[in-house]
Each structure stands twice: as C-alpha cells, then as structure tokens.
Amino acid sequence: MLLAERHQLILEQLNIHGRITSVDLAKLLAVSEDTIRRDLNKLGELKLLRRVHGGALVLQEDTPDYFDRLNSPDPSKKRFIQPALAMLEAGQTIVIDSGETCRYLAQNLPANLPLTVVTGCPLIVQDLMQHPQVQVIQLGGRMFKPAMRTTGSSAIEMLKQIRFDLVFMGICAFHVKHGFCVNYFEEAEVLRATIEQADRTILMGPHDKLDKTMTYQIVPAQKIHHIITDQGVRADIQASIEELGIELEIVPNK
Amino acid sequence: MLLAERHQLILEQLNIHGRITSVDLAKLLAVSEDTIRRDLNKLGELKLLRRVHGGALVLQEDTPDYFDRLNSPDPSKKRFIQPALAMLEAGQTIVIDSGETCRYLAQNLPANLPLTVVTGCPLIVQDLMQHPQVQVIQLGGRMFKPAMRTTGSSAIEMLKQIRFDLVFMGICAFHVKHGFCVNYFEEAEVLRATIEQADRTILMGPHDKLDKTMTYQIVPAQKIHHIITDQGVRADIQASIEELGIELEIVPNK
DNA sequence: TTTAAATACGCAAAAACACGCATAAAAATA
DNA sequence: TATTTTTATGCGTGTTTTTGCGTATTTAAA
C-alpha cells in the first residue's frame, strides 16, 4: 500500500466516523502505529484533520456564533435562493429553516405570493411579519441558542400536525453515504421531524458541504429531493447524488 | 473516547444546558470525577467555560453590553419595570407577554439572574437570546400580526403544559367591573390561558388604562394580583381595585 | 459550628508518543 | 538494467500524557 493511498483512506475513515484512533487505524491498514502517527502528524500539518492525543478528529469548521454572523452577513449566499423562489406557488405551506441562506430566502419572498410559512427562527418570523400575504406559523419549544431555533418535544409535536409542500434548509454537512448531518443531537431531532412531514425537501449551500459529515445524521441522503449548490462539485459526487434520484441544481459562482 | 472528544462533548452539553455538574458529566461520559475535574479546569484555563465549585457554567462575558440597553425608544415606560424586576427570583419560570413595556422588561433582566422565560413574541425571544442565564421557551402557533404574538390552539395547548410563577403583561384596558380586556378575540383566548397557569399575574401600564374597556374580556378583575401604574389614579378607582385584593403599586411620573 | 460533598495532590500503571537507527522500498540517475 | 539516492517503515528505548485511586484539604450549606 502506498503512502498517498493510505492517507486517502485515513481521511475517508475520518469522514465516515468523525473520529479515529491510531490503534484502530494501525489494525485496519496493517501497518505499525508509528507509521500511523507519522501519517496523522503530516495530515494535521496540512490542516486536513485535527490531530489529538490518541488519534484524530475531523476539522471542526468554526461555526461562529449566530450573532457574529448577523453582524457580517454574507451576500454571496443570496445566489442560492433564486432557484428556490422559482419553486414556490401560491397557497403552498412551506418550512423555512434557520440559517443565513434561509433568512435571505424569507426576506426575498415575492410580495404578491400568498403562502403559509412555518419556522422556528424568531428572526425569520420577524422578517415575515412585514409581508402582506404570508401567514406565519411559529414553531414553539425551547430556544436552542447555537442555532437560533426552537428544539425539543414541543416543536416536534407541533410539526407532526402539519404537512408541508416544501421544506428549505441550509446545508451543514451532506454526504452521499452518510446523509444529511448536523453537529447537535437536538437540532437533528427537529430537522428529522420536519423532513418527515414534507413532500419535498430542498437543501441550499456551497458545493464543499456536499462531501462532509458531522456527528448526527438527520436523514439518509435519499430522503432529500433537491439540492441547490454552486459550481465545483466533484464529478463522482455529482454522479452518485444524481444516481440517488436527487435533483442537483448548480448556480453560477457569483 | 479521546480526551479532545470529551472536551468537545462537555462544551456541547454546556451549550445545551447552560450549566453542568462534575457528577453528571462523570456518569454521562463514563469516566472518573477526577478526570472530569481536570477537563473542566483545563477548559476553564482556556476560557471556554466558567469553572465553579461543583461543575461549570457557560461564559457570560461574551455579552458585556447586555446592560447598555437603557437607550430604548420610549424611556418613560421604563419606570414600570423597576417594581417588576424587584419581584424576580432565581430559578423562576415567568411569562413576558408582547408589547413595548414587556419588551423593555425583557431587555433589562439582570444578566446574572437565571430564569426560564416563556413568550410568544419573536422580538423578545431575540432580545433574550443574548442573555447568558435565561432559558427561552418560544410559544408556538399562528403569528397574529396586530399584536406581534402567537395565537391559536397550538399556543394554548403548549401553555397548558407549563406552570408559571409570574406573568407580566401590559395593560390594554382594565376596568374594575369589566375586567382585563383586549380588542381581539384570538388574543384574549391566549392571554386567558396564560393567566390560568400563573401563580401571580402582574399588569404594567399608565393609570389612564385603569378605567377603560375593550370588546373581549380576558379575565374578571379579581383574577389579577398586582398592577404597576403611575400617579393619577382616581381615588375611587384605586379604592375599588384594592378592595378586590389587588396590590396596586404606583411609581412616580418620571 | 458541623457535616457532606467537592476538590487538590501525589502516586502508579497504562497508553500514547518522540527519537534514533537499521533496513526495506521506491524513485531517480547513470 | 544496474546503481545511487531518496524516502518510508518497523523496532527498541526513553519520555510524556492520561487516568484512576487513596488521602488530605477546602468549600458550601445545614
């Protein structure tokens, strides 16, 4: 086995499990622990993983606090919302999840389009209160500060009583094998309940999120119907996504 | 489990619950309490949490400006909230209703007071998301635009499952004979359900609202426990209010 | 003040690690 | 192809890190 090949396999394993120990890798790849340690140190230097005592962890993409992001909104995320807007029809009941891209979507709903919008994010509720034609349903529950959204059984109970035509969510991490993931158990529960009630689930986000995993799987990949992303998706990933029957829509990079 | 992984999980738990004990963590992560203490001390040194006897708390220094809110639009309403703040005790579960005075109350909750706050107003939810010690419960339901609050059976169902120590509301209209009133049927329903669950209901508002009626009665006057108002209450009205056993607290007119 | 819980400290065992070195494998060059 | 050069690997040795336990001390609440 070649070194580069081994590095590739290590990163793959890491992507799958989120964590990996030197001992396990040594056994799996049938090399000495020293070799594995050298590999991990090298990959750590290259910022491809987070080297820790005993093994390695996936790089925690720093999710800055929501309020930090509020102060520095990223207008480049607006490009994802045009295809989303094109799917809307009068009278639909839709979910707009929390997150920056979702908020752009909420803020740009056509003024003459009557919709029922369900959301657990108070910022989006507030944005939509200005809208003349939209009826807003606020999801109840305990507010989960890191994601600026409601979670818990109250939210889930409420979701179970509604059926949605469309659900729009941002992509935290998506992977063909390991599905749609987030980093918080509580968040995953609510998102799963939301998708369960949806005729069609649409994810929006940059292409580099399409080969990522995080700790908690929300749903397997095939439960997603539509992904809106930008240019740069690896050809093999694009192929396997489309093989699952997911519609992949690519917008120009700005 | 790797050490770094454990640190991550501790921070996650802390993020969720706001506080955490060494004993609970030791059980949850299946390691000795010594290990947990070493973890907490380390994370405390790194300023990732606040180490206290028995466990750890979330850092609260990231919101140093929580008190610099005294530049609110209508400072005259600030005078109603001081007596309200004096009633608060650590650990209580309270309702802060929608409205300008209520919002002012929410914005001025002491930063070091741990409370559970229930509200149906997204603006207040948003204000409180920056509070380091308050757990926020958002009432679900259909947003009622004129009052910027949730209404309907979802909200009422949710309310029925919680008991409140204190409920704070602004005064739309209060009358000794005709009770506490508002102009919308939907709003009255929700407010009634809220008061039903409260040990103590406190109204805040100027004295001229104390001899007013509106279309829909929420509850009869004697269901209210405490009214905070300003100078100028007619003597006979004051007498009949106090006759009903309602505590009438009068603050100086500025 | 008393008392139980939480903590700090030292110690020892186990695990993970770094380093040097000899050898094997791969790559480059003649 | 043969030979040299470079790189990668495994092993032995010594070091560092992590962890749990026993004991003494501190803390917080009754």
Side-chain angles (χ1 to χ4, degrees):
Chain A
M1 164 162 316
L2 287 105
L3 179 140
E5 218 177 334
R6 205 172 52 231
H7 282 190
Q8 192 62 41
L9 276 166
I10 289 174
L11 290 173
E12 203 171 299
Q13 284 295 311
L14 197 59
N15 223 9
I16 293 173
H17 300 106
R19 59 178 289 262
I20 198 79
T21 66
S22 312
V23 184
D24 289 347
L25 275 176
K27 263 185 252 174
L28 181 71
L29 304 176
V31 289
S32 76
E33 287 184 41
D34 286 77
T35 302
I36 294 296
R37 272 191 274 275
R38 278 185 275 245
D39 289 342
L40 294 183
N41 288 341
K42 180 68 109 184
L43 292 169
E45 280 170 30
L46 296 173
K47 310 274 181 204
L48 294 172
L49 49 74
R50 176 159 156 242
R51 179 76 167 102
V52 297
H53 192 93
L57 301 175
V58 286
L59 275 183
Q60 282 293 26
E61 136 168 73
D62 318 10
T63 7
D65 204 64
Y66 203 93
F67 285 95
D68 295 342
R69 276 180 284 171
L70 273 187
N71 298 332
S72 55
D74 180 2
S76 75
K77 296 194 172 176
K78 274 191 187 169
R79 63 186 193 272
F80 299 119
I81 70 170
Q82 282 306 332
L85 291 172
M87 297 180 204
L88 299 174
E89 288 168 29
Q92 285 177 328
T93 298
I94 69 172
V95 171
I96 300 182
D97 195 52
S98 77
E100 212 177 329
T101 309
C102 286
R103 198 162 172 216
Y104 278 125
L105 178 60
Q107 289 170 344
N108 288 281
L109 292 179
N112 58 351
L113 190 66
L115 290 170
T116 299
V117 175
V118 179
T119 187
C121 173
L123 294 167
I124 290 178
V125 171
Q126 194 187 328
D127 289 335
L128 290 174
M129 291 303 275
Q130 315 292 331
H131 195 289
Q133 302 260 15
V134 162
Q135 174 173 227
V136 185
I137 310 283
Q138 174 168 282
L139 282 178
R142 194 167 66 71
M143 289 300 303
F144 184 56
K145 297 189 182 186
M148 190 64 162
R149 59 165 309 125
T150 45
T151 58
S153 58
S154 293
I156 292 174
E157 282 307 310
M158 209 170 145
L159 282 164
K160 282 185 182 163
Q161 293 171 15
I162 321 178
R163 193 198 55 77
F164 309 115
D165 295 299
L166 301 173
V167 167
F168 294 98
M169 292 178 174
I171 308 180
C172 292
F174 179 90
H175 190 278
V176 176
K177 271 191 195 159
H178 307 107
F180 180 31
C181 301
V182 284
N183 253 341
Y184 296 100
F185 179 75
E186 295 190 80
E187 200 178 4
E189 278 186 317
V190 177
L191 295 179
R192 191 178 304 127
T194 308
I195 292 174
E196 282 298 324
Q197 301 300 116
D199 282 2
R200 205 169 165 74
T201 302
I202 298 102
L203 304 187
M204 303 174 290
H207 70 271
D208 58 289
K209 304 290 182 81
L210 295 182
D211 188 30
K212 259 189 121 136
T213 61
M214 285 184 173
T215 316
Y216 302 102
Q217 189 195 72
I218 301 164
V219 290
Q222 58 267 26
K223 286 265 189 177
I224 304 300
H225 304 91
H226 200 123
I227 295 177
I228 302 171
T229 191
D230 54 10
Q231 294 171 337
V233 192
R234 252 172 48 206
D236 58 324
I237 294 176
Q238 176 166 359
S240 24
I241 287 176
E242 286 170 345
E243 226 166 73
L244 287 172
I246 301 172
E247 196 164 327
L248 191 65
E249 193 162 1
I250 296 177
V251 298
N253 280 16
K254 184 107 192 216
Chain B
M1 163 158 315
L2 303 171
L3 178 143
E5 239 180 320
R6 207 173 51 232
H7 282 188
Q8 225 165 284
L9 277 166
I10 289 173
L11 290 173
E12 187 178 326
Q13 285 294 313
L14 199 58
N15 230 344
I16 293 173
H17 300 107
R19 58 181 214 100
I20 198 80
T21 67
S22 312
V23 184
D24 289 347
L25 276 176
K27 262 185 254 175
L28 181 70
L29 304 176
V31 290
S32 75
E33 287 183 43
D34 288 75
T35 302
I36 294 296
R37 272 182 216 111
R38 278 185 276 245
D39 289 341
L40 294 182
N41 290 341
K42 177 72 100 184
L43 292 169
E45 280 170 31
L46 296 173
K47 308 278 179 203
L48 294 171
L49 50 74
R50 178 157 156 247
R51 181 76 168 101
V52 295
H53 192 92
L57 303 174
V58 287
L59 279 184
Q60 48 183 8
E61 67 190 349
D62 49 298
T63 54
D65 57 333
Y66 196 78
F67 268 122
D68 317 348
R69 293 282 188 64
L70 306 172
N71 47 354
S72 164
D74 183 1
S76 76
K77 295 196 172 178
K78 180 198 165 191
R79 62 186 193 271
F80 298 120
I81 72 166
Q82 285 306 333
L85 291 173
M87 296 179 205
L88 299 175
E89 287 169 30
Q92 285 176 329
T93 299
I94 69 172
V95 171
I96 300 184
D97 195 53
S98 76
E100 213 177 330
T101 308
C102 284
R103 193 162 175 214
Y104 207 75
L105 175 62
Q107 289 173 342
N108 287 279
L109 292 179
N112 59 352
L113 189 67
L115 291 171
T116 299
V117 176
V118 179
T119 186
C121 173
L123 294 169
I124 290 178
V125 171
Q126 198 184 324
D127 290 334
L128 290 175
M129 290 303 276
Q130 297 184 53
H131 193 291
Q133 302 258 15
V134 160
Q135 175 173 227
V136 185
I137 311 283
Q138 175 167 282
L139 283 178
R142 196 166 63 72
M143 288 300 301
F144 182 58
K145 297 190 182 183
M148 191 64 162
R149 58 165 308 127
T150 46
T151 58
S153 59
S154 292
I156 292 174
E157 282 306 309
M158 211 172 144
L159 282 165
K160 282 185 180 164
Q161 294 171 14
I162 322 178
R163 194 199 55 77
F164 309 115
D165 295 300
L166 302 173
V167 167
F168 294 97
M169 293 178 173
I171 310 180
C172 292
F174 179 90
H175 191 278
V176 177
K177 269 192 196 160
H178 305 108
F180 180 31
C181 301
V182 284
N183 253 343
Y184 298 100
F185 179 76
E186 295 190 80
E187 199 178 3
E189 277 187 317
V190 178
L191 295 180
R192 191 178 305 126
T194 308
I195 293 173
E196 283 297 322
Q197 302 300 115
D199 284 2
R200 205 168 165 74
T201 302
I202 298 101
L203 304 187
M204 303 173 292
H207 69 272
D208 58 290
K209 303 290 181 82
L210 296 182
D211 188 30
K212 250 183 129 157
T213 61
M214 284 184 173
T215 317
Y216 301 101
Q217 187 194 73
I218 301 163
V219 288
Q222 58 267 26
K223 285 266 191 177
I224 304 301
H225 303 91
H226 201 124
I227 295 176
I228 301 170
T229 190
D230 53 9
Q231 293 171 338
V233 192
R234 253 171 44 208
D236 59 322
I237 294 178
Q238 177 167 357
S240 25
I241 286 176
E242 286 170 344
E243 227 166 70
L244 287 172
I246 302 172
E247 199 164 323
L248 191 66
E249 194 162 359
I250 297 177
V251 298
N253 280 17
K254 182 124 201 194

